[in-house]
Amino acid sequence: MRFGVLGPVTAWTDAGEPVVIQGLKVRALLADLLVHEGRPVPADRLIDDLWDSQLPGNPAGTLSAKVSQLRRAFEDAEPGSRALVQSGPAGYSIAVDKSSYDALAFADRVEAGALSEALALWRGPAYADFADEAFVETAVARLTEQRLTVLERADVPVSELTTLVAEHPLREGLRAAHMRALYRAGRQSEALESFEELRQLLLDELGLDPSPPLVALQQSILAQALPQARSNLPAQLSELIGRSDALDAISSSLSTSRLVTLTGPGGVGKTRLALATAASVADRFADGVVLVELAAVTPDAISVRDSLTDALHAALDLRDSAGSAAATVERLASVLGSRLLVLDNCEQVIAEVADLADDLLAAAPGLRMLATSREPLNLAGEVVWAVPPLDVPAAASDPGAVADCSAVQLFVARASAAARDFALTADNAADVAVLCRRLDGIPFALELAATRVRALGVRGLVARLDDRFRLLATGHRGAAPRQQTLLAMIDWSWELLSSDEQVVLRRLAVHADGCTAEAASAVCDDDVLEVLVRLVDRSLVVPVHGADGPRYRLLESVAAYCTDKLIAADELESVRQRHLEYYVRLAESAQLFGEGQAHWLRALDEDASNLRTAFDRAIATGQSGLAERLVDAMAWYWFLRGRLAEAVRSLNALPDSERAGAWRTGFLYMQADSGAAAERERWLPTADARGQWWIAFTSSDVGELQTGQVLLDRSLKTFEADGDTWGIAAVLVERAKHAHVRSDVHALRADAEKGLRLFQSLGDRWGMLQATSWLGAAAELAGDFDEAARLHGECAQIAEELELWPEVAGALGMLGWTAVRQGEYSAARAHGERALRLATEQGQRALQALAEIVLAFAARRTGDLDDAERRLRLLLDAARSQSEAVLYLSMVLDELGFVLELKGDLAAALKLHAEAFEVAAGYDAVRSLCWALEGMASCLPDKSLAAQLLGAAAATRAREQHLSAATEVDDLARAVEAVRGALGPDAYERAYVQGGLLTPQEAFDLLQDVL
């Protein structure tokens, strides 16, 4: 029986079924007993708590009746559970411990540092249905305070912290967590605003200043000195026993060596020890500790090296990009920084892991690695640490010496969890000692044995193991002695299973990195939830938390054993086929184009290894139809998650597929691949409406706007005829982008607003993000910079909630650009630097360019001309290396022209502005045309001609309603002053008016003899 008070007071059976408890007073009795956490409560106290002044006629008898009702409810739900409600001289109590009571489990997990697991136990306010009762008041206050303290330390989303800060506005710990979360999401200005809000509240309400630690945090944010640490280490739900010396030794090795490999046979505890070590040294690494699980990477993968880098990208939450192995390593090295990578289960692909590890260690000097493997990586400088089994008692040890052995301590801890009345005593110490010696101190073998103590007792367990090992002694002669012990234990555990349990267990082995209960049922061809629960109880299946509830995985030793059983049963191919077909259906059922988007992104993230394994099987077995269906279903996921290299690699495996052709074309455009245009011509004739939209959408950043507009018009007609709301909205938002290039504010706002309404009706947050971003761009064009900043901040929040880090980088870049236009250069640099860091991590070239533009513009306007020129020339070189002109080219040319003008090189500046005009004219980008005309006017020796250019630019701005931002006024004023001063007021005015009658192109044509 299990009990919960972290929410409504609830009881469940061990099988997870809710216990029905009739009567408010009976439920109040349960709540009161749980408040005291197993301690006796006097009857008089219970009577006062339950009835206060409104006592029943026979208080003691009535209380006794309520106790009987509670016991009966327990017994009806789970036979034998009535004994949980105990009575004695000191009063009534309920038998609970950390395994059965969520309040105690919460405290235990907090003490173990498993903060996320602790918070996951909460289902609402503590004692929610009895919150008004006086007897829970102290407990509620204590639990609530504990929860808030954990929330201050845990990794909590910004949105949740924002709500908590609103509920507890003066709590400095929450405020500090809120500020850190905002800063790490790239929202530095909001983090500083949060501090200022608290400072003002403290002053107004208490007459106090923020504490020194909070002030120090504010200063760190101002200086951008907080590390961007990330950690994905899973919380450990049980104590690590008998490894304190090992922890110290491995921690010391990591201080002096960059690669430490833990070796040993399966089941010896390599992974558990590595995770504990990583957690203990995490504060040494400014950029965090990241676990990379490699069990799902097998030699059967289409490309083992690519699968390894996919796993690394996923663990680091990076978006991959195609390129050579060297380019991939270089990009990874650029973001690894001072970090510890934990590479778990390397042995399946040891050679490829060693090659990648060697490359990364050479390229990233701040990187350290902790690997687990059954054999060393054999790299220079590697420290190999052989994980020993736990200490076992010597023969004829006395009970005290037995209890001191780590193997005994682990066995007793696990056995007492399985059988609550089990304890190490003088009577059973000798049997426990024999058992631990017989199992060679192997932790996994001890845990398997502990699950059988309740049924067999220690002596019965030892007798059966002795017989079992003699029987199996000749069955594993090829294995090392300790591996023989583990195999014998798995053998024995296997044969104790029922036939249906054996079937389920062996079929689970085809899953890569675990599965949901639904997936297990599909692959096992039956409803297997009850069987899974029994296998979890026997420690043969490990439950882990997932987006849709529990996921189930096999430890590596069990998985290898069960694969052999599948082969022996002649089921391997049929079960793998069911696995493939299920994951094709799963991918096709994912709702990535609507309100289920966030949920399905997380769900597909969790099953990424299974989906990749399914695709590899489809290709290897020639099932191109299933492979096509899978890539068609997964392509939008790959795009949203930025898995460009995985997408191209998978699509390239289907070279003749029409379905894959349009998708591949778009991904090649996103990677700036020179072959994208040829692929477009090959597949465009057979592309459907969404394929046409996709090609237009992805090709726009490389300047193919005219072709893109034709495709948008064509696909829109089909979407409207088919009633495809998502497609219509997607076309409108892409048209808004084209309007932005032309500086057509009216069209931009109209399309973005309509697209936003349609995406809102669908609940598609990616689409809402895109539309909102272009509305922010429209506000910036119109000069409403406060509104632009608000909208781009909203985009950053949506992108963060969806974990679309490239989109976060884009929103930060637009916030930086808006800050440049406002003249807030310190904020612009902060946004730009954060955007650049994220865009570089995610391998997003276009977003890196946006961030560099922001930083370059801010640098020029704060007088750092050399930094501005350096950044702009790098951007110019990158843009000119493209076969097509990129959209930002004219902007970069103009800005570099202004830099060179300020440095005195007017001739070079004039050429740059002229080139910028010609590029902008190709896109009909009106604002850029005006910038170019104004820039050329500053550089022309012929001042009368210069005045005409200024007149033409001013007339165009007025006609198109393009206001000059405050940051553009200085450039324009400098040009006007120089030209007006040279010509005199009258001559300047005549030439200026004359220029106002010209279009930008007509004005530019006047320069043909000059250029």
Side-chain angles (χ1 to χ4, degrees), residues 885 889-890 893-894 911-924 928-929 932 936 1001 1004 1008 1011:
L889 178 57
S890 63
L893 289 165
D894 272 324
K911 290 182 179 179
L912 289 170
H913 288 304
E915 184 181 352
F917 185 96
E918 292 175 330
V919 172
Y923 300 137
D924 196 21
S928 296
L929 294 176
M936 286 184 283
Q1001 185 62 53
F1004 182 72
Q1008 295 308 308
L1011 298 175

Side-chain angles (χ1 to χ4, degrees), residues 208-294:
L208 299 175
D209 291 325
S211 65
L214 203 66
V215 172
L217 176 60
Q218 180 218 22
Q219 295 301 312
S220 296
I221 290 174
L222 283 169
Q224 300 190 57
L226 290 182
Q228 302 298 311
R230 291 179 182 168
S231 175
N232 67 343
L233 294 180
Q236 300 303 303
L237 304 183
S238 58
E239 180 185 2
L240 182 66
I241 295 174
R243 297 297 195 188
S244 57
D245 291 342
L247 281 173
D248 292 340
I250 300 168
S251 173
S252 177
S253 295
L254 282 170
S255 298
T256 57
S257 304
R258 297 185 61 209
L259 171 62
V260 177
T261 302
L262 307 186
T263 62
V268 81
K270 301 184 294 296
T271 297
R272 183 72 176 85
L273 181 55
L275 293 177
T277 303
S280 71
V281 301
D283 58 357
R284 297 184 196 172
F285 298 93
D287 295 314
V289 179
V290 174
L291 168 66
V292 187
E293 296 182 336
L294 302 179

Side-chain angles (χ1 to χ4, degrees), residues 200-396:
Q200 194 62 49
L201 282 171
L202 288 172
L203 183 63
D204 292 346
E205 298 190 17
L206 303 175
L208 299 175
D209 291 325
S211 65
L214 203 66
V215 172
L217 176 60
Q218 180 218 22
Q219 295 301 312
S220 296
I221 290 174
L222 283 169
Q224 300 190 57
L226 290 182
Q228 302 298 311
R230 291 179 182 168
S231 175
N232 67 343
L233 294 180
Q236 300 303 303
L237 304 183
S238 58
E239 180 185 2
L240 182 66
I241 295 174
R243 297 297 195 188
S244 57
D245 291 342
L247 281 173
D248 292 340
I250 300 168
S251 173
S252 177
S253 295
L254 282 170
S255 298
T256 57
S257 304
R258 297 185 61 209
L259 171 62
V260 177
T261 302
L262 307 186
T263 62
V268 81
K270 301 184 294 296
T271 297
R272 183 72 176 85
L273 181 55
L275 293 177
T277 303
S280 71
V281 301
D283 58 357
R284 297 184 196 172
F285 298 93
D287 295 314
V289 179
V290 174
L291 168 66
V292 187
E293 296 182 336
L294 302 179
V297 180
T298 70
D300 297 330
I302 293 176
S303 167
V304 173
R305 172 79 176 212
D306 289 337
S307 294
L308 288 173
T309 55
D310 285 347
L312 192 55
H313 281 117
L316 290 166
D317 206 6
L318 301 180
R319 279 34 180 171
D320 57 15
S321 57
S324 64
T328 300
V329 167
E330 182 180 352
R331 191 170 79 82
L332 285 170
S334 70
V335 302
L336 283 169
S338 174
R339 199 183 305 263
L340 175 65
L341 286 185
V342 182
L343 304 179
D344 190 31
N345 293 315
C346 300
E347 56 273 353
Q348 288 193 101
V349 285
I350 188 73
E352 292 84 354
V353 172
D355 287 343
L356 180 59
D358 198 25
D359 291 343
L360 289 173
L361 288 167
L367 174 66
R368 300 208 171 209
M369 290 185 182
L370 178 60
T372 73
S373 177
R374 295 190 185 182
E375 58 181 298
L377 273 62
N378 289 325
L379 296 178
E382 177 185 21
V383 171
V384 179
W385 208 93
V387 179
L390 297 175
D391 296 333
V392 299

Side-chain angles (χ1 to χ4, degrees), residues 660-975:
W663 283 118
R664 181 166 58 251
T665 300
F667 282 112
L668 291 177
Y669 270 122
M670 293 184 71
Q671 294 178 332
D673 190 293
S674 60
E679 283 293 290
R680 180 194 66 194
E681 296 307 313
R682 179 183 179 191
W683 298 111
L684 198 53
T686 58
D688 61 11
R690 289 212 179 188
Q692 294 164 14
W693 170 84
W694 167 247
I695 293 173
F697 171 74
T698 53
S699 64
S700 60
D701 279 334
V702 297
E704 296 193 3
L705 297 181
Q706 292 181 347
T707 301
Q709 188 60 56
V710 172
L711 294 177
L712 292 176
D713 292 342
R714 187 187 305 167
S715 60
L716 180 59
K717 291 179 181 178
T718 304
F719 290 143
E720 289 175 336
D722 294 343
D724 187 339
T725 302
W726 192 95
I728 295 169
V731 169
L732 290 171
V733 171
E734 183 61 15
R735 281 200 332 200
K737 180 178 184 177
H738 287 223
H740 181 260
V741 173
R742 302 191 307 271
S743 304
D744 186 342
V745 179
H746 176 74
L748 167 56
R749 183 173 285 125
D751 280 341
E753 287 177 346
K754 186 174 180 182
L756 178 60
R757 288 194 298 272
L758 292 176
F759 277 129
Q760 286 173 331
S761 72
L762 297 170
D764 189 299
R765 291 178 65 73
W766 175 85
M768 293 158 61
L769 167 62
Q770 303 302 311
T772 302
S773 177
W774 291 118
L775 286 174
E780 181 266 322
L781 276 179
D784 189 349
F785 300 125
D786 289 341
E787 176 66 1
R790 184 190 70 79
L791 290 168
H792 291 309
E794 185 178 322
C795 289
Q797 182 173 351
I798 295 173
E800 178 196 344
E801 290 170 356
L802 290 174
E803 298 180 349
L804 301 180
W805 303 117
E807 303 291 357
V808 174
L812 291 171
M814 292 307 298
L815 281 169
W817 175 246
T818 303
V820 167
R821 302 276 283 158
Q822 291 174 297
E824 297 177 359
Y825 302 121
S826 176
R829 278 195 298 273
H831 289 310
E833 287 168 2
R834 176 65 176 143
L836 182 59
R837 189 181 307 120
L838 265 178
T840 301
E841 286 180 358
Q842 305 304 324
Q844 301 290 315
R845 296 182 181 88
L847 297 177
Q848 287 174 260
L850 172 59
E852 289 282 13
I853 287 169
V854 169
L855 293 171
F857 273 60
R860 176 170 80 86
R861 286 156 176 76
T862 53
D864 193 345
L865 299 181
D866 290 341
D867 183 53
E869 182 176 0
R870 177 183 63 81
R871 291 183 185 276
L872 291 166
R873 288 199 182 280
L874 288 173
L875 284 166
L876 189 57
D877 290 344
R880 284 176 169 164
S881 69
Q882 303 291 323
S883 58
E884 301 286 345
V886 296
L887 294 182
Y888 62 78
L889 178 57
S890 63
M891 180 186 295
V892 170
L893 289 165
D894 272 324
E895 187 66 5
L896 183 56
F898 285 124
V899 170
L900 296 185
E901 175 208 334
L902 291 171
K903 285 189 167 186
D905 191 349
L906 299 183
L910 179 61
K911 290 182 179 179
L912 289 170
H913 288 304
E915 184 181 352
F917 185 96
E918 292 175 330
V919 172
Y923 300 137
D924 196 21
V926 178
R927 180 167 61 169
S928 296
L929 294 176
C930 294
W931 279 344
L933 291 174
E934 291 159 355
M936 286 184 283
S938 298
C939 305
L940 280 171
D942 185 339
K943 301 305 178 185
S944 178
L945 184 54
Q948 291 185 64
L949 298 187
L950 291 172
T956 301
R957 283 186 182 275
R959 183 171 60 253
E960 301 293 336
Q961 296 183 339
H962 291 319
L963 303 178
S964 295
T967 53
E968 297 168 10
V969 170
D970 290 344
D971 293 327
L972 182 59
R974 188 173 64 253

Side-chain angles (χ1 to χ4, degrees), residues 522-547:
V523 170
C524 295
D525 202 23
D526 197 3
D527 184 358
V528 299
L529 181 57
E530 290 185 6
V531 177
L532 284 173
V533 172
R534 296 202 298 271
L535 292 172
V536 168
D537 289 341
R538 289 160 175 74
S539 295
L540 291 166
V541 172
V542 180
V544 292
H545 180 69

Side-chain angles (χ1 to χ4, degrees), residues 943-948 979-995:
K943 301 305 178 185
S944 178
L945 184 54
Q948 291 185 64
V979 175
R980 187 184 183 93
L983 290 178
D986 293 339
Y988 172 80
E989 189 64 26
R990 285 194 299 272
Y992 185 86
V993 171
Q994 183 179 358

Side-chain angles (χ1 to χ4, degrees), residues 25-278:
K25 292 302 182 184
V26 181
R27 292 176 56 244
L29 171 63
L30 173 60
D32 206 342
L33 294 175
L34 290 172
V35 163
H36 294 84
E37 298 181 346
R39 299 184 299 275
V41 191
D44 290 347
R45 174 68 180 273
L46 288 171
I47 290 169
D48 287 343
D49 288 345
L50 268 60
W51 288 283
D52 195 18
S53 60
Q54 299 178 351
L55 295 177
N58 179 6
T62 305
L63 175 62
S64 178
K66 299 302 179 188
V67 171
S68 296
Q69 287 179 253
L70 183 60
R71 286 171 170 164
R72 189 180 311 116
F74 287 176
E75 187 69 19
D76 290 345
E78 193 167 75
S81 295
R82 65 179 299 111
L84 293 174
V85 181
Q86 302 167 355
S87 61
Y92 293 99
S93 64
I94 187 166
V96 291
D97 57 27
K98 64 185 180 183
S99 67
S100 62
Y101 183 30
D102 64 0
L104 294 177
F106 174 73
D108 180 66
R109 294 179 190 183
V110 170
E111 184 179 356
L115 303 186
S116 296
E117 295 290 338
L119 291 172
L121 295 171
W122 284 75
R123 298 166 288 113
Y127 294 92
D129 42 350
F130 292 99
D132 295 332
E133 299 293 338
F135 68 84
V136 303
E137 183 176 346
T138 301
V140 168
R142 173 175 55 82
L143 289 168
T144 302
E145 175 62 26
Q146 290 175 353
R147 178 173 179 266
L148 289 172
T149 301
V150 172
L151 286 165
E152 292 170 353
R153 298 162 51 199
D155 184 12
V156 180
V158 171
S159 56
E160 185 175 345
L161 285 169
T162 300
T163 301
L164 289 166
V165 164
E167 294 172 356
H168 307 276
L170 297 177
R171 191 179 178 97
E172 290 202 353
L174 281 178
R175 186 71 63 162
H178 188 230
M179 292 166 62
R180 290 191 191 95
L182 285 168
Y183 174 81
R184 287 175 175 153
R187 297 155 66 178
Q188 179 186 10
S189 60
E190 293 177 64
L192 297 173
E193 288 169 6
S194 182
F195 174 85
E196 181 58 28
E197 179 184 57
L198 175 65
R199 189 194 66 77
Q200 194 62 49
L201 282 171
L202 288 172
L203 183 63
D204 292 346
E205 298 190 17
L206 303 175
L208 299 175
D209 291 325
S211 65
L214 203 66
V215 172
L217 176 60
Q218 180 218 22
Q219 295 301 312
S220 296
I221 290 174
L222 283 169
Q224 300 190 57
L226 290 182
Q228 302 298 311
R230 291 179 182 168
S231 175
N232 67 343
L233 294 180
Q236 300 303 303
L237 304 183
S238 58
E239 180 185 2
L240 182 66
I241 295 174
R243 297 297 195 188
S244 57
D245 291 342
L247 281 173
D248 292 340
I250 300 168
S251 173
S252 177
S253 295
L254 282 170
S255 298
T256 57
S257 304
R258 297 185 61 209
L259 171 62
V260 177
T261 302
L262 307 186
T263 62
V268 81
K270 301 184 294 296
T271 297
R272 183 72 176 85
L273 181 55
L275 293 177
T277 303

